[in-house]
Amino acid sequence: MSSVHPVTDPNAWGSSIDEAVNAVSRGGLIVLPTDTVYGIGADAFDAQAVAALLAAKGRGRQMPPPVLVPDTRTLDGLATDVSADARALVETFWPGGFTIILPAQPSLAWDLGETHGTVALRMPDHPAALALLRRTGPLAVSSANATGRPAALDVTTAQEQLGDSVTVYLDGGDAPGGVASTIVDATGPHLRVVREGAVSLERMRVIAPVLGLGEEPQEPDDEAQAPETASDAAGSDEVPSDGAAVVGDAPSEPGLVPAPTTDAAPTATTSDPEANDG
């Protein structure tokens, strides 16, 4: 049987967080409020718990969940090859509605699904979620809804869709967001948006060069290259082709399309595109 516990008052939510921590430590699933939509979570390092999370939502391993973290210091423990621009975006937009896809640390003993060696990371801007994450460590979290159903903006909706597959529901009231996080793929030579969401392209471009959805890097024109070609018989360095991970088709959901109607996060090589990640 599942149970519901309030997390609206920081002075009184201690026992509720305890229940969620205990559930996670036993391999159970929890539902938690975030700054976007409600999420369903499991220990990111418990393969059976992650498999149960995917089963509860009715999805397969080809749509792995993103991972929520308690602070920016977790970034280098879970990911590698973090560029200066990617780090600048994280430092600017965490905590908040910003998810970044990075190469996963190869030594990590986890199985999130068919990630192709990458991981999608986000630090939520929600006090109860952060209080929980500081106790549990990284959690695999997807939107708290059955695949194809609207993302849950309150705990009642989440419970109606997920039922007793979840051990503990944390009730934080109505989700303050409703639009899922923006997702940026940082696994290739160029940063690129793979899902539009809470953080606009314009805001990100103030911090770092980021390609928008479907946008390709600009090639130098012939005139600009001519002097270089003439002066360098060996030829100049070629602009690398963009090898960023390809994102799967994502149905309209809070984040891909600003309307809380479907599932949770990216699948560029790592997370499910159908996800309103929490």
Side-chain angles (χ1 to χ4, degrees):
M1 286 292 293
S2 59
S3 56
V4 180
H5 305 269
V7 288
T8 53
D9 181 1
N11 297 315
W13 69 31
S15 61
S16 297
I17 298 295
D18 288 344
E19 289 291 335
V21 171
N22 290 336
V24 170
S25 68
R26 296 193 302 268
L29 303 181
I30 61 170
V31 159
L32 65 153
T34 78
D35 50 332
T36 56
V37 297
Y38 270 74
I40 178 174
D43 183 350
F45 295 96
D46 185 332
Q48 289 186 333
V50 173
L53 183 157
L54 295 175
K57 288 179 62 69
R59 70 165 35 130
R61 288 174 50 81
Q62 75 280 8
M63 300 177 78
V67 173
L68 296 191
V69 299
D71 57 53
T72 58
R73 293 173 297 178
T74 316
L75 184 70
D76 293 305
L78 301 180
T80 186
D81 298 331
V82 183
S83 69
D85 283 340
R87 194 177 299 277
L89 289 174
V90 165
E91 291 174 348
T92 302
F93 298 114
W94 278 12
F98 176 78
T99 298
I100 190 159
I101 300 171
L102 292 161
Q105 284 283 1
S107 61
L108 291 178
W110 61 5
D111 182 6
L112 298 172
E114 296 174 10
T115 65
H116 305 283
T118 67
V119 62
L121 300 172
R122 185 168 91 84
M123 178 183 176
D125 189 12
H126 191 285
L130 291 174
L132 174 66
L133 288 163
R134 292 186 188 107
R135 297 275 306 278
T136 61
L139 291 176
V141 177
S142 185
S143 58
N145 58 290
T147 297
R149 298 281 301 279
L153 299 181
D154 57 67
V155 76
T156 301
T157 303
Q159 195 169 23
E160 288 172 351
Q161 296 189 47
L162 300 171
D164 287 338
S165 64
V166 170
T167 304
V168 170
Y169 289 84
L170 295 180
D171 185 359
D174 292 340
V179 176
S181 64
T182 295
I183 301 168
V184 169
D185 184 353
T187 62
H190 304 280
L191 300 177
R192 62 170 67 243
V193 173
V194 297
R195 186 179 74 187
E196 296 175 341
V199 178
S200 69
L201 183 61
E202 291 71 26
R203 290 175 63 197
M204 290 187 290
R205 282 179 170 169
V206 172
I207 308 302
V210 180
L211 297 174
L213 279 175
E215 188 176 0
E216 295 298 326
Q218 290 187 344
E219 297 287 347
D221 58 38
D222 291 340
E223 284 189 19
Q225 284 189 346
E228 184 181 346
T229 304
S231 62
D232 186 358
S236 60
D237 291 338
E238 293 182 358
V239 177
S241 62
D242 192 350
V246 178
V247 187
D249 292 334
S252 72
E253 32 104 6
L256 190 60
V257 177
T261 51
T262 341
D263 242 339
T267 350
T269 330
T270 163
S271 276
D272 62 71
E274 191 218 348
N276 303 312
D277 49 19

